[in-house]
Amino acid sequence: MATPPHCIPNNSGPVTPSTPLLTFLERLQETALQTFGPINFDPKFYVDLPLKFDLSTTEQAFDSLPRSRSGATSGKELETLLEKYFDGAGDDLIYVEPVDFVAEPKGFLPKVENQEVRKWALEVHSLWKNLSRRVSDSVKERPDQHTLLFLRDPVTIPGSRFRELYYWDSYWVIRGLLVSKMYDTAKAIVTNHISLVEKYGFVPNGARAYYTNRSQPPLLSSMVHELYKMTKDDGFVKRSLPALLKEYHFWNSGMHKVTIQDSKAHRHTLSRYYAMWNKPRPESSTIDKEFASKLSDDTEKEIFYREVASAAESGWDFSTRWMRNSSDLTSLAATFVIPVDLNAFLLKTELDIAFLAKVAGDKDTAEHFLEASSARKRAFSSVFWNEEKGQWLDCWISYSSTCKDGGEAWEQNQNVFASNFIPLWIELFHSDHKVEKVVRSLETSGLLCAAGIATSLTKSGQQWDFPNGWAPLQHMIIEGLARSGSVKAKLVAETIAARWLRTNYISYKKTGVMHEKYDVEQCGEYGGGGEYQPQTGFGWTNGVVLALLEEFGWPHDRKLDCEAQ
């Protein structure tokens, strides 16, 4: 399997420059922690604060605060400073009524027969109004006083502390908006993402200055494709293509690009996560520094900081999937993983671009990307597929300072994660004669629980591990199973969908809100773990509920209580 190690520089990749504002806000964040203490402390809050005055004036006032030897100031003094010199976190995003929202869209969820479920679905649909914002003109006029990035069109935010646009969340937001017949709102989200690609060459993790050092799972082509299927807007496709090509280049060049050689000496060019950052993440600076304090020297700390940011680029922040030692976050090694799901997303990007280029009348580009998709699909057979398990597995790559022509040495990660089943989402694999085997593998994997699909089998305390279940993972696996052409797979898909919808419904009835993640061991319970408190709102959860109800409906006599599982 393995070939002689190729050279992967451990910490030699590019680093995105920080900004004077971020550097100052990180100082504010650290002082706030020293002053207010760690209980209910959210470091992101402080780097989201807009300035009322210019940076020099604000920094001078901050530096004039009386301090103890530890660097703390009095709570009253700091609160007075915050009130006088800062607007509230999120005040630079203004509520805006979606132009295309109607209380009950025509033709909404025709397969939902149960009136209680329909009532709930309409309430979830109405949450789009709560999550709709536009960026204040002050961000455009005084960008040096905001970490928020200016976007021309309205945005739909996830909710709670996530008060800005996020990349991969937006795909499932759009899927829900399309069910809600809110095509203009969905198009605005895609247009904003395209503008970010035009400016940065990729879509940042989110629309904040501190997120421009990394991206998130690449789903922009999927957004354009879904929107096109509903609107048939050829002109929008033509305008989108240059950004899709630019983003594709980002993921298939530089430090994201990895070449490996399979057991038959065939070379494959694949992709990995690799953040352009080797410092504490500004939005979690105090947390990252605390973990890094266990490390012995600055080089080790820089490597850790890059691995933390690279794991965040995956969207799975954090999980034992990226850790060499499941109990030690400082063992994160995301840049040493060739992820199944990232390469599935890029395979889908290649197929999407081929389709969209054909729509736009660009035959050469369409043919080029069909060839690229064929090449990547071959890697799924010879690199990721594990015949014994009936799953596609991530690969760990080795590091050596010696360059060889063969490519990186690698081995499959034998652990079970929900991501091992994401390739099912890609239509190309439905004719691969593997579907039945993959379904059996999923059923015996240990991931299928009373309330949905677990993210992993490891109970680590990290939020992208057991027992948490996440809406996007449920949706991709369910949709892949349902559309595979296998009768058995469709039945399994409907069972999982019913479990997931029940837990969302019961939890909503108990708490009055939609949650970011759920505990799949216990019907009606939301998830926990990770570096921040459980969040509500919630963009992608709402989108997946609506998409699943559109796909499967809910019969009038199907029970809603947890005992029906």
Short mmCIF file of all heavy atoms in Angstrom, two decimals, residues 156-186:
data_model
loop_
_atom_site.label_atom_id
_atom_site.label_comp_id
_atom_site.label_asym_id
_atom_site.label_seq_id
_atom_site.Cartn_x
_atom_site.Cartn_y
_atom_site.Cartn_z
N THR A 156 -28.60 34.94 5.56
CA THR A 156 -29.34 34.13 6.51
C THR A 156 -28.33 33.50 7.45
O THR A 156 -27.46 32.74 7.01
CB THR A 156 -30.17 33.04 5.81
OG1 THR A 156 -31.04 33.66 4.84
CG2 THR A 156 -31.02 32.26 6.80
N ILE A 157 -28.40 33.83 8.72
CA ILE A 157 -27.39 33.39 9.68
C ILE A 157 -27.83 32.08 10.34
O ILE A 157 -29.02 31.75 10.37
CB ILE A 157 -27.14 34.47 10.75
CG1 ILE A 157 -28.42 34.75 11.58
CG2 ILE A 157 -26.64 35.77 10.10
CD1 ILE A 157 -28.19 35.64 12.80
N PRO A 158 -26.88 31.32 10.90
CA PRO A 158 -27.27 30.10 11.62
C PRO A 158 -28.09 30.38 12.88
O PRO A 158 -29.08 29.73 13.15
CB PRO A 158 -25.92 29.45 11.97
CG PRO A 158 -24.96 30.00 10.96
CD PRO A 158 -25.42 31.41 10.71
N GLY A 159 -27.63 31.38 13.69
CA GLY A 159 -28.34 31.73 14.90
C GLY A 159 -27.43 31.76 16.12
O GLY A 159 -26.30 31.26 16.10
N SER A 160 -27.91 32.37 17.21
CA SER A 160 -27.19 32.49 18.49
C SER A 160 -25.84 33.18 18.28
O SER A 160 -25.79 34.22 17.66
CB SER A 160 -27.06 31.13 19.16
OG SER A 160 -28.32 30.59 19.49
N ARG A 161 -24.75 32.58 18.76
CA ARG A 161 -23.44 33.22 18.66
C ARG A 161 -22.95 33.28 17.22
O ARG A 161 -22.01 34.02 16.91
CB ARG A 161 -22.42 32.49 19.55
CG ARG A 161 -21.93 31.18 19.00
CD ARG A 161 -21.21 30.32 20.03
NE ARG A 161 -19.91 30.81 20.40
CZ ARG A 161 -18.76 30.46 19.83
NH1 ARG A 161 -18.78 29.64 18.79
NH2 ARG A 161 -17.61 30.92 20.27
N PHE A 162 -23.54 32.49 16.35
CA PHE A 162 -23.15 32.49 14.94
C PHE A 162 -23.99 33.54 14.21
O PHE A 162 -24.99 33.23 13.57
CB PHE A 162 -23.30 31.09 14.35
CG PHE A 162 -22.45 30.07 15.05
CD1 PHE A 162 -23.02 29.04 15.77
CD2 PHE A 162 -21.07 30.17 15.02
CE1 PHE A 162 -22.24 28.11 16.43
CE2 PHE A 162 -20.27 29.25 15.68
CZ PHE A 162 -20.86 28.21 16.39
N ARG A 163 -23.55 34.79 14.34
CA ARG A 163 -24.35 35.94 13.93
C ARG A 163 -23.90 36.49 12.58
O ARG A 163 -24.14 37.65 12.27
CB ARG A 163 -24.28 37.01 15.03
CG ARG A 163 -22.89 37.35 15.48
CD ARG A 163 -22.86 38.40 16.60
NE ARG A 163 -23.20 37.89 17.91
CZ ARG A 163 -22.34 37.38 18.78
NH1 ARG A 163 -21.05 37.28 18.47
NH2 ARG A 163 -22.73 36.95 19.96
N GLU A 164 -23.22 35.67 11.77
CA GLU A 164 -22.75 36.07 10.46
C GLU A 164 -22.99 34.92 9.48
O GLU A 164 -23.38 33.83 9.87
CB GLU A 164 -21.26 36.44 10.49
CG GLU A 164 -20.34 35.39 11.09
CD GLU A 164 -20.32 35.43 12.61
OE1 GLU A 164 -20.15 36.52 13.16
OE2 GLU A 164 -20.48 34.38 13.26
N LEU A 165 -22.74 35.18 8.21
CA LEU A 165 -22.87 34.14 7.17
C LEU A 165 -21.79 33.07 7.37
O LEU A 165 -20.63 33.40 7.63
CB LEU A 165 -22.71 34.78 5.79
CG LEU A 165 -22.91 33.87 4.58
CD1 LEU A 165 -24.39 33.61 4.35
CD2 LEU A 165 -22.29 34.51 3.33
N TYR A 166 -22.18 31.79 7.24
CA TYR A 166 -21.22 30.68 7.26
C TYR A 166 -21.31 29.90 5.97
O TYR A 166 -22.38 29.79 5.36
CB TYR A 166 -21.48 29.76 8.46
CG TYR A 166 -20.91 30.35 9.74
CD1 TYR A 166 -21.63 31.33 10.43
CD2 TYR A 166 -19.66 30.01 10.20
CE1 TYR A 166 -21.11 31.92 11.57
CE2 TYR A 166 -19.13 30.59 11.34
CZ TYR A 166 -19.85 31.55 12.02
OH TYR A 166 -19.32 32.14 13.13
N TYR A 167 -20.15 29.31 5.59
CA TYR A 167 -20.08 28.70 4.27
C TYR A 167 -20.91 27.43 4.18
O TYR A 167 -21.96 27.41 3.52
CB TYR A 167 -18.62 28.44 3.90
CG TYR A 167 -18.42 27.85 2.50
CD1 TYR A 167 -19.47 27.76 1.57
CD2 TYR A 167 -17.18 27.38 2.09
CE1 TYR A 167 -19.28 27.24 0.30
CE2 TYR A 167 -16.96 26.87 0.82
CZ TYR A 167 -18.02 26.78 -0.07
OH TYR A 167 -17.82 26.26 -1.32
N TRP A 168 -20.48 26.33 4.81
CA TRP A 168 -21.16 25.07 4.49
C TRP A 168 -22.56 25.01 5.11
O TRP A 168 -23.44 24.34 4.58
CB TRP A 168 -20.30 23.86 4.76
CG TRP A 168 -20.12 23.32 6.15
CD1 TRP A 168 -19.86 24.01 7.29
CD2 TRP A 168 -20.15 21.93 6.50
NE1 TRP A 168 -19.72 23.14 8.34
CE2 TRP A 168 -19.89 21.85 7.89
CE3 TRP A 168 -20.36 20.74 5.80
CZ2 TRP A 168 -19.83 20.65 8.58
CZ3 TRP A 168 -20.30 19.54 6.49
CH2 TRP A 168 -20.04 19.49 7.86
N ASP A 169 -22.78 25.75 6.21
CA ASP A 169 -24.15 25.87 6.72
C ASP A 169 -25.12 26.32 5.63
O ASP A 169 -26.27 25.89 5.59
CB ASP A 169 -24.20 26.93 7.83
CG ASP A 169 -23.42 26.55 9.07
OD1 ASP A 169 -22.19 26.36 8.97
OD2 ASP A 169 -24.02 26.46 10.15
N SER A 170 -24.63 27.22 4.78
CA SER A 170 -25.52 27.88 3.81
C SER A 170 -26.13 26.91 2.80
O SER A 170 -27.22 27.16 2.28
CB SER A 170 -24.76 28.99 3.07
OG SER A 170 -24.44 30.04 3.95
N TYR A 171 -25.43 25.80 2.51
CA TYR A 171 -26.01 24.84 1.57
C TYR A 171 -27.34 24.31 2.10
O TYR A 171 -28.34 24.25 1.36
CB TYR A 171 -25.05 23.67 1.29
CG TYR A 171 -25.71 22.59 0.46
CD1 TYR A 171 -25.91 22.77 -0.90
CD2 TYR A 171 -26.21 21.44 1.05
CE1 TYR A 171 -26.56 21.81 -1.67
CE2 TYR A 171 -26.87 20.48 0.30
CZ TYR A 171 -27.04 20.66 -1.06
OH TYR A 171 -27.70 19.72 -1.81
N TRP A 172 -27.38 23.92 3.40
CA TRP A 172 -28.62 23.35 3.95
C TRP A 172 -29.64 24.43 4.25
O TRP A 172 -30.85 24.17 4.19
CB TRP A 172 -28.29 22.48 5.17
CG TRP A 172 -27.66 21.21 4.68
CD1 TRP A 172 -28.31 20.11 4.19
CD2 TRP A 172 -26.27 20.94 4.54
NE1 TRP A 172 -27.40 19.17 3.77
CE2 TRP A 172 -26.14 19.64 3.97
CE3 TRP A 172 -25.11 21.64 4.84
CZ2 TRP A 172 -24.91 19.06 3.72
CZ3 TRP A 172 -23.88 21.06 4.59
CH2 TRP A 172 -23.78 19.78 4.03
N VAL A 173 -29.19 25.63 4.53
CA VAL A 173 -30.12 26.76 4.60
C VAL A 173 -30.83 26.92 3.26
O VAL A 173 -32.06 27.06 3.19
CB VAL A 173 -29.38 28.06 5.00
CG1 VAL A 173 -30.26 29.28 4.78
CG2 VAL A 173 -28.91 27.99 6.45
N ILE A 174 -30.05 26.88 2.18
CA ILE A 174 -30.62 27.03 0.83
C ILE A 174 -31.59 25.88 0.52
O ILE A 174 -32.67 26.11 -0.05
CB ILE A 174 -29.49 27.12 -0.22
CG1 ILE A 174 -28.85 28.52 -0.14
CG2 ILE A 174 -30.01 26.84 -1.63
CD1 ILE A 174 -27.59 28.66 -0.96
N ARG A 175 -31.22 24.66 0.89
CA ARG A 175 -32.15 23.54 0.64
C ARG A 175 -33.49 23.79 1.31
O ARG A 175 -34.55 23.49 0.75
CB ARG A 175 -31.53 22.22 1.14
CG ARG A 175 -30.36 21.71 0.31
CD ARG A 175 -30.72 21.35 -1.12
NE ARG A 175 -31.72 20.30 -1.19
CZ ARG A 175 -31.45 19.00 -1.34
NH1 ARG A 175 -30.18 18.60 -1.44
NH2 ARG A 175 -32.41 18.10 -1.42
N GLY A 176 -33.46 24.34 2.54
CA GLY A 176 -34.69 24.66 3.23
C GLY A 176 -35.43 25.82 2.61
O GLY A 176 -36.66 25.79 2.47
N LEU A 177 -34.69 26.85 2.21
CA LEU A 177 -35.31 28.02 1.56
C LEU A 177 -36.01 27.63 0.27
O LEU A 177 -37.07 28.16 -0.08
CB LEU A 177 -34.26 29.10 1.30
CG LEU A 177 -33.74 29.84 2.53
CD1 LEU A 177 -32.51 30.66 2.15
CD2 LEU A 177 -34.82 30.73 3.13
N LEU A 178 -35.43 26.69 -0.47
CA LEU A 178 -36.06 26.25 -1.72
C LEU A 178 -37.37 25.52 -1.44
O LEU A 178 -38.34 25.66 -2.20
CB LEU A 178 -35.10 25.37 -2.52
CG LEU A 178 -33.84 26.09 -3.03
CD1 LEU A 178 -32.92 25.10 -3.77
CD2 LEU A 178 -34.19 27.26 -3.94
N VAL A 179 -37.42 24.75 -0.35
CA VAL A 179 -38.69 24.12 0.05
C VAL A 179 -39.71 25.21 0.41
O VAL A 179 -40.90 25.09 0.11
CB VAL A 179 -38.47 23.17 1.25
CG1 VAL A 179 -39.81 22.63 1.77
CG2 VAL A 179 -37.56 22.01 0.86
N SER A 180 -39.21 26.29 1.02
CA SER A 180 -40.08 27.42 1.42
C SER A 180 -40.40 28.35 0.26
O SER A 180 -41.04 29.39 0.47
CB SER A 180 -39.39 28.21 2.54
OG SER A 180 -39.30 27.45 3.72
N LYS A 181 -39.97 27.98 -0.95
CA LYS A 181 -40.22 28.78 -2.16
C LYS A 181 -39.59 30.18 -2.07
O LYS A 181 -40.06 31.11 -2.73
CB LYS A 181 -41.72 28.93 -2.46
CG LYS A 181 -42.56 27.68 -2.23
CD LYS A 181 -42.21 26.55 -3.17
CE LYS A 181 -43.13 25.36 -2.96
NZ LYS A 181 -42.71 24.16 -3.72
N MET A 182 -38.52 30.30 -1.30
CA MET A 182 -37.87 31.60 -1.12
C MET A 182 -36.63 31.68 -2.02
O MET A 182 -35.49 31.72 -1.57
CB MET A 182 -37.53 31.80 0.36
CG MET A 182 -38.77 31.90 1.22
SD MET A 182 -38.45 31.93 3.01
CE MET A 182 -37.57 33.47 3.19
N TYR A 183 -36.88 31.71 -3.32
CA TYR A 183 -35.82 31.63 -4.31
C TYR A 183 -34.93 32.88 -4.31
O TYR A 183 -33.72 32.78 -4.52
CB TYR A 183 -36.40 31.39 -5.70
CG TYR A 183 -37.31 30.17 -5.80
CD1 TYR A 183 -38.47 30.20 -6.55
CD2 TYR A 183 -36.98 29.00 -5.12
CE1 TYR A 183 -39.30 29.08 -6.63
CE2 TYR A 183 -37.81 27.88 -5.20
CZ TYR A 183 -38.96 27.93 -5.95
OH TYR A 183 -39.78 26.83 -6.01
N ASP A 184 -35.52 34.04 -4.10
CA ASP A 184 -34.71 35.27 -4.08
C ASP A 184 -33.75 35.29 -2.89
O ASP A 184 -32.60 35.70 -3.02
CB ASP A 184 -35.62 36.51 -4.01
CG ASP A 184 -36.42 36.73 -5.30
OD1 ASP A 184 -35.99 36.20 -6.35
OD2 ASP A 184 -37.46 37.41 -5.25
N THR A 185 -34.24 34.86 -1.73
CA THR A 185 -33.38 34.79 -0.55
C THR A 185 -32.25 33.80 -0.76
O THR A 185 -31.09 34.07 -0.41
CB THR A 185 -34.22 34.41 0.69
OG1 THR A 185 -35.23 35.41 0.89
CG2 THR A 185 -33.36 34.32 1.93
N ALA A 186 -32.56 32.64 -1.35
CA ALA A 186 -31.54 31.64 -1.64
C ALA A 186 -30.50 32.18 -2.63
O ALA A 186 -29.28 32.00 -2.45
CB ALA A 186 -32.18 30.37 -2.19
#
